[in-house]
Amino acid sequence: MSAAATAAPSSSSSVQPFLRLAGVRKSYPGVVALAGFDLDVARGEVIGIVGENGAGKSTLMKILGGVIRPDRGTIEVDGEPFEALTVGQSIRAGIAFVHQELNLFDNLDVAANVFIGREPRKYGLLNLVDREGQRAAVAPLLKRLGAHFGPDAPVRKLSLAQQQIVEIAKALSYDARLIILDEPTSSLPLRETEKLLEVIRGLKADGISVIFISHRLHEIERACNRVVVLRDGVLAGRLDRAEVTYQKLVRLMIGRDLKVVYTPPAVARGAVALSARDVRTSAYPHQPVSLDLHRGEILGLAGLVGSGRSELARAIFGIDPIFGGSLGFEGAPLAVKGTGDATRRGIFLVPEDRKGAGILLDLPIAQNITLPNLDAYARGGIVSAAAEARRAEKSKAELDIRAPSVQALTGALSGGNQQKVALAKWLAMDPQVIILDEPTRGIDVGAKFEIYRLMRALADAGVAVLMISSDMEEVIGVSDRIAVMHEGRISGMLTRDRFSEENVLLLAMGRGLEGEGRT
Amino acid sequence: QDKKQLAFVVNASSDFWKLAEAGVKKAQGELGSYELQFRYPAQGTAAAQNALMDDLVTAGVDAIMISSADPKNSIDAFNRIAGQVPLFTTDSDAPESNRIAYLGSSNTDAGVQAGEEMVKAMAGKEGKCMGFVGFLGADNAKERIAGFKQAIEGKGIELVDVRGDDVDFTRARTNVDDVLVANPEINCMVGFYSYNPPKIYEALQAAGKLGQITVVAFDEDPVTLGAVKEGSFASTVVQQPFEWGYQGMKLMAKYLEGDKSGVPENKLIIVPTKVIEKGNVDAFEADLKAKIASAG
Amino acid sequence: MNKKDLGLLVLILVVGLGVYLRNPLFLSPNNLANTANLIGLFGLFSIAQGFVIITGGIELSVGSMMALLGVLFVDMVGRLGVPWPIAAAIVIALGLLLGLAHGLLITKLRMQPFVVTLCGLLIYRGASRGYTADATAGFPFGSTYPGLDFFVARPWGIPTSVFVLAVVGVIAWVVLHRSVFGRYLYAVGKNEEAAKFSGIRTSVVIAAAYVICAGLTAIAAIFLAMYTRSVSPSSHANFYELYAIAAAVLGGFSLRGGEGSIVGVILGTILLQVLQNLVNLLGIPSSLNFAVMGTVILVGVLVDQQWGHFRERRRIREAARSSLEQPAE
Amino acid sequence: MNKKDLGLLVLILVVGLGVYLRNPLFLSPNNLANTANLIGLFGLFSIAQGFVIITGGIELSVGSMMALLGVLFVDMVGRLGVPWPIAAAIVIALGLLLGLAHGLLITKLRMQPFVVTLCGLLIYRGASRGYTADATAGFPFGSTYPGLDFFVARPWGIPTSVFVLAVVGVIAWVVLHRSVFGRYLYAVGKNEEAAKFSGIRTSVVIAAAYVICAGLTAIAAIFLAMYTRSVSPSSHANFYELYAIAAAVLGGFSLRGGEGSIVGVILGTILLQVLQNLVNLLGIPSSLNFAVMGTVILVGVLVDQQWGHFRERRRIREAARSSLEQPAE
Ligand SMILES: Nc1ncnc2c1ncn2[C@@H]1O[C@H](COP(=O)(O)OP(=O)(O)OP(=O)(O)O)[C@@H](O)[C@H]1O
Ligand SMILES: Nc1ncnc2c1ncn2[C@@H]1O[C@H](COP(=O)(O)OP(=O)(O)OP(=O)(O)O)[C@@H](O)[C@H]1O
Ligand SMILES: [Mg+2]
Ligand SMILES: [Mg+2]
């Protein structure tokens, strides 16, 4: 690709696009993440980018955000060509970026996070932060996104979903001309997602371009003018709004048709494996929660941001203390003083915060997988590298983890593959009860259905599965029963015959179902 | 507090000062109407000592005797203290300050004595000596070294170098070990601080060179005395810290009572250093034990 | 003032009251002035340390740097006859340069702060000892230098070091808690990577922290040299970095970076100095000095922390109980 | 042996060769044995420190603990006449207890390791000084204790401390690099939260690291006490924790936890001791001891690291180029 060729205006569009990528390439040792990629983004256009985990979406975005340097290719922003952008250049060029992984400072408050790096200042040379101005600017943004916290809230007190909202608010606060959203909805529940889609429409109307990456294809369908499909670092197809269908997207992404059938209902619901009686957690000590989880079933746990689902899961797993009530396992009382007590009985949790708690980014894949059950791969306290590698290879094949080798650092994997590793470490053991907190957060459709299949297989094998999810489609498609939480209590329990988006939503907002009292 | 308080402030913690403490205890037995204190600073620095003296004066002490870690440069602090209570120096002096008097030995004299002992012990042989000390820059070290050099001048004996160890016993030992390796020509050694001779002894013992190298020591560490008794060391030069503590306290008490006759014209009360060698080491040791026992 | 600082203040007051009851001279103007002087002096380099700790770094060379700069200052003024304002300027400039060197080694050559400053600790100590050949640098007896007693003067009974600390403290507070640069310090300390993604020039911010630290340390070095009036390079300010770090940690700084307040580090300094003073005032054997200090810090931090935990738990438990009595809805 | 260790080894060989050329006595059996003895001794507590550092913690009380345990050991054997194996057992048991106390304070009461062990540094130093009322503990002249020279013996010219270090080193290597517990240590050091979510009892792992550290330190304390034969509590092993930390950091440990190797820390110890030895052998003034040590560490780490960077860059550049030449698929 010569410089002359890239500089020449493209024949297809007479208007100069806001952004033009040509021949962008990026390789890591052992992987070609992007193999020569071209992309035009016009003003006011919402472009969806989809692709399997590891297809190179985030890599592309990081190049635009100036976080990494491409090996070659050119980037043209508003007519100005660059070989590579720095973070500063990218920001100055009007590109705002919501990273796939959160990049917040939990020692600062919301407003400070939103304006980090470009604080409104006062007193000229003294360079003090204009804290009032900051707050005033952030409050409406939060409102627009439907957040229930103020600009002064310390970020460390926010849940993951709330933090995601802060990230989005941050991108919106830039006077940006292009906003990149790398899986912004991965942990956002329905209502907040709706708000976001609304915001995107507004941006479009203002002539601001948006690049929207998501594994939730329905969102892509609804929000985008144009969809670009990436596969293995190369362009697999472009679809205009009119051509976009779910099936087509899937075919382009994974190269074959995918039968979108959600899993069949439980074959047989077994005995109660895990029971919670009036359990009180620190987030909502005044709200006792009672719940029975049966063997062989997948119990969906739905609710809005901060409804206390994750807190409940953490309490059951022994991370957080329980302030009242009791847990039972197999009919006997269960005391969990630490995670060891839970894992010893086969009660596992895949946490929502993958990067911070789900896996160790700095360890090889194999070591992550064997970590919870290391004794099984050791003799006399000495770890057998061979046994470990065998197990890891098996998991890699079973879950189709895309990585150069099982000795690769987990942190170098794409988000979706990291999630598979987080799952793999429990599946390599003998689960009795498995709690999955947002199990498909950031996972591509192919893998998603793979995980649903795995969950169902587990349930059919008699495992009790509790799935916390904010993805409405998933909750309704996968669960055998749905428990809905509202502000720390179970506001309703739905059986399959009463599954509907509307019912889940009503309960999640704390209203009773039509024609019924509260459960 | 109706009893008058006298304080004896030392420069660092070491066994040496235990003897002075014994002397102070003996004095306490005779000075019933006084309260005597014996104070170690938190660190062996002049700054810590001066802060300690400030605090003592604040706490109502009536007279202080100090062994300063850095008398030359503490003159202002001394004068500040001396302006409030009578101040005496011991061990190392600050003649320019307003202290009432100095009571102690002369480090230069002690160094000279050690040098003379070395000359005597070498008995006309050529000597290449290595010295060992804690702080090379400290006054007492410099004076002792200077006195030693003065005495060996022109006697065919040379002090090749002095190795410092910052009062780290490990380094004190390593220094001797390393000198034995690196400087095979060395045939005499001097340990200037009280813990140096024992380290010399141990290193020589480990290297099997006891008796082959002539050693002159300072102070009365049990190992040093043992080595003298055994004949491994030629001799050791000892000060009389017990007397400093004892006489010092009596002197201060008398001074506070208005009797200034104890302070001579030149304001120097020199308690002479003694040479301990094979002949008098047993008597010295017995005396030492008795003194410590007397303090109880 | 946040809750942590408040806890520390209470601890200081409790200890102070205890000492006062045992020996009322604790509050005598003279003793207060002496202690305040040391607080001023130690506070300066403890704040300095705070700037580095907030970035997740550490500055271990504080004590050695003070020895080197102190030796140079005293030697220049006392032996070479350099007018003291010039000597002070040289010393502060040298301090800034050393800080810059640390900052560059850490940011440009990506060395661990611990390694860089540990080497600093060794090298500066060695350099200052080599410079005087282990002798003590001091002023000739009876010499006076017009204006130089500024550093030891006590206008209205208050040592100048206290005034300087007050000024530096206020500036540092504004810089750390109100300025853009301060915010960057917090951001860099919490997550350097994310700070970089936010367009913050993290290397500049971190290097600046070391420069500020060294600059303040240089000022403290002059005060300390004037307080001791002589500098024995082998022991001068030995391991003062530990005091500074202890003051910062007591004051709520986290060695992982991103946490801490100026009020906290000053309170930490006060506590440490009161503890030192207490040992001398109460006639506790000096050998126990360290033991007392260690015990009070341990108990203080423990109580402070457990108290917070305890209240949090009680709050939750009470919420749980109250809802039991009147079942929710 | 990884690449970092190799770099360190090369540095040691280069320094060693340099010293040898200037003074061939460097390689004399006597000097080697002397240096090896110190390496054995310092290696023990440096490995100990490594166990704590790997968890992301720090143990600052090493030096003070060695003073306290050393004083007790010498006093028990020398003054109280306790048979030495019993005294040794008591001292090691006490060490383990202190380590357990640190571990519990850090894990159960969630205090910062720096604070806990800094208080330990102060308290144990104070306690040992208080115990002897600042006197030096020593053995009576000429006294011998059957079997006690084990600690200073040199069978076949090799000091026993070296044998002990070899044994401890091999065990530590297996534990850290091959065992389940070692894996847990790394995991906890890299991300305590994630380790907890994997069902690891992180408190137990961390507490165990402090216990191991204290246990090894206690053994080193006995060796050191037997080496100096007398223990002056105010200065004995003062700030030896810095040596230990320096050895670990030189050996590739990261103070953020989760990184480091046993081979590395032993090589780090060797380098530090060779540097100490060099000063005496080359007749460099003692005052420059520290300056030499600091400079060599700084240059060594710098060269090692820059060399690593350079190779890494080249590797990435080559990967980029080669992938360009044969486009994937
Ligand atoms: N720092 C890195 N080192 C090595 N390989 C990397 C690194 N970052 C990404 N990769 C690899 O580059 C490829 C593309 O990753 P990228 O994160 O762009 O995928 P993605 O399309 O965003 O996937 P996901 O949907 O899972 O987020 C993957 O194979 C990944 O393993
Ligand atoms: N570390 C924390 N400290 C204080 N409050 C917290 C913390 N984490 C969560 N919370 C609060 O606890 C409540 C319950 O949060 P939890 O994460 O359990 O909810 P959730 O239903 O899983 O929601 P989400 O979808 O946000 O994960 C929320 O109000 C949240 O703000
Ligand atoms: Mg991605
Ligand atoms: Mg949640």
Side-chain angles (χ1 to χ4, degrees), chain B residues 14 22 46 55 80 84-85 92 101 126 183 222 225 233 241 254 270:
Chain B
S14 84
D55 288 342
R80 185 173 70 237
Q84 304 172 71
V85 298
S92 51
E126 286 270 301
N183 307 72
L225 295 181
F233 285 4
K254 244 166 80 185
I270 300 296

Side-chain angles (χ1 to χ4, degrees), chain A residues 26-284:
Chain A
K26 174 74 195 176
S27 56
Y28 291 104
V31 210
V32 179
L34 272 182
F37 191 78
D38 305 335
L39 178 72
D40 284 357
V41 182
R43 291 186 174 74
E45 184 180 35
V46 179
I47 290 204
I49 297 195
V50 297
E52 281 184 286
N53 292 130
K57 305 180 294 294
S58 298
T59 304
L60 185 63
M61 295 310 123
K62 283 183 195 158
I63 288 171
L64 289 179
V67 178
I68 55 178
R69 269 186 85 87
D71 300 335
R72 69 189 300 186
T74 51
I75 306 160
E76 210 179 292
V77 187
D78 218 2
E80 192 185 347
F82 294 91
E83 237 180 66
L85 290 164
T86 63
V87 175
Q89 283 169 332
S90 169
I91 291 174
R92 276 191 298 278
I95 299 175
F97 192 175
V98 176
H99 287 264
Q100 180 173 4
E101 303 294 350
L102 294 172
N103 277 308
L104 295 178
F105 304 94
D106 68 8
N107 55 345
L108 301 177
D109 64 14
V110 169
N113 266 286
V114 167
F115 278 106
I116 192 76
R118 49 199 180 89
E119 290 70 12
R121 301 168 187 216
K122 60 181 181 184
Y123 303 135
L125 279 180
L126 279 180
N127 245 341
L128 301 194
V129 179
D130 176 6
R131 307 202 308 163
E132 289 70 36
Q134 215 176 42
R135 240 173 270 152
V138 172
L141 284 175
L142 292 178
K143 199 150 164 234
R144 196 163 149 202
L145 289 168
H148 289 303
F149 50 87
D152 291 335
V155 164
R156 76 170 99 230
K157 292 254 161 99
L158 301 182
S159 74
L160 206 59
Q162 291 171 324
Q163 293 188 12
Q164 187 105 43
I165 293 175
V166 178
E167 282 279 20
I168 297 168
K170 186 164 142 188
L172 293 180
S173 74
Y174 281 70
D175 208 7
R177 291 189 290 163
L178 168 65
I179 295 184
I180 299 172
L181 302 166
D182 193 352
E183 302 196 29
T185 57
S186 62
S187 60
L188 276 196
L190 206 63
R191 202 171 42 127
E192 285 73 10
T193 305
E194 283 305 321
K195 288 266 184 198
L196 180 65
L197 294 183
E198 206 174 287
V199 168
I200 290 176
R201 276 193 289 275
L203 292 171
K204 189 160 112 185
D206 294 345
I208 295 169
S209 317
V210 177
I211 295 182
F212 185 52
I213 299 176
S214 178
H215 288 296
R216 296 184 180 173
L217 299 183
H218 290 296
E219 291 167 5
I220 297 279
E221 267 181 302
R222 288 174 55 198
C224 304
N225 303 75
R226 207 147 65 82
V227 180
V228 171
V229 185
L230 259 174
R231 175 139 51 98
D232 293 334
V234 295
L235 183 74
R238 285 200 182 89
L239 297 175
D240 276 333
R241 173 161 212 148
E243 310 170 73
V244 172
T245 67
Y246 193 94
Q247 280 305 331
K248 246 190 227 163
L249 285 179
V250 171
R251 192 175 322 121
L252 283 172
M253 273 169 70
I254 63 178
R256 61 188 157 86
D257 280 321
L258 181 79
K259 250 181 57 199
V260 185
V261 253
Y262 281 98
T263 53
V267 240
R269 201 171 89 171
V272 174
L274 184 83
S275 63
R277 286 284 158 273
D278 295 334
V279 166
R280 295 160 191 275
T281 60
S282 62
Y284 294 99

Side-chain angles (χ1 to χ4, degrees), chain B residues 39-45 47 51-52 54-55 58-60 70 73 75-76 79 84 96 135-138 142 166, chain C residues 23 25 28 30-31 34 129 134-136 138-139 141 227-230 234-235 238 277 279-281 283-284 286 289-290:
Chain B
R39 304 302 301 255
Y40 297 93
Q43 282 175 316
T45 61
L52 175 60
D54 280 335
D55 288 342
T58 304
D70 184 9
N73 295 299
I75 288 163
D76 288 308
N79 289 349
Q84 304 172 71
E96 301 92 342
F135 295 111
L136 276 166
K142 285 201 283 201
D166 303 343
Chain C
N23 188 345
L25 288 167
S28 67
N30 225 331
N31 188 54
N34 287 342
R129 293 176 63 170
D134 253 333
T136 302
F139 299 108
F141 176 69
Y227 176 66
T228 62
R229 288 198 62 88
S230 66
S234 60
S235 62
N238 220 350
N277 186 229
V279 171
N280 287 337
L281 277 193
I284 298 173
S286 317
N289 184 331
F290 287 139

Side-chain angles (χ1 to χ4, degrees), chain A residues 62 65 67 87-88 91 99 102-109 111-113 115-121 126-131 134 156 170 174 280-283 285-288 321 323-324 355 489 518, chain C residues 54 173-175 177-200 257-259 312-329:
Chain A
K62 283 183 195 158
V67 178
V87 175
I91 291 174
H99 287 264
L102 294 172
N103 277 308
L104 295 178
F105 304 94
D106 68 8
N107 55 345
L108 301 177
D109 64 14
N113 266 286
F115 278 106
I116 192 76
R118 49 199 180 89
E119 290 70 12
R121 301 168 187 216
L126 279 180
N127 245 341
L128 301 194
V129 179
D130 176 6
R131 307 202 308 163
Q134 215 176 42
R156 76 170 99 230
K170 186 164 142 188
Y174 281 70
R280 295 160 191 275
T281 60
S282 62
H286 51 282
Q287 296 285 25
F323 288 89
K355 199 174 164 188
R489 69 192 164 86
R518 284 188 183 138
Chain C
I54 204 102
W173 186 87
V174 171
V175 168
H177 299 299
R178 287 290 177 268
S179 82
V180 172
F181 174 67
R183 175 142 316 158
Y184 290 176
L185 283 172
Y186 277 96
V188 166
K190 182 48 81 171
N191 188 341
E192 193 181 336
E193 182 93 309
K196 211 181 269 168
F197 289 171
S198 306
I200 296 174
E259 314 269 328
E312 175 70 12
R313 292 211 147 200
R314 200 182 52 186
R315 191 185 61 77
I316 293 174
R317 221 170 283 124
E318 260 168 23
R321 208 178 27 246
S322 74
S323 78
L324 265 184
E325 281 151 16
Q326 333 152 345
E329 290 140 77

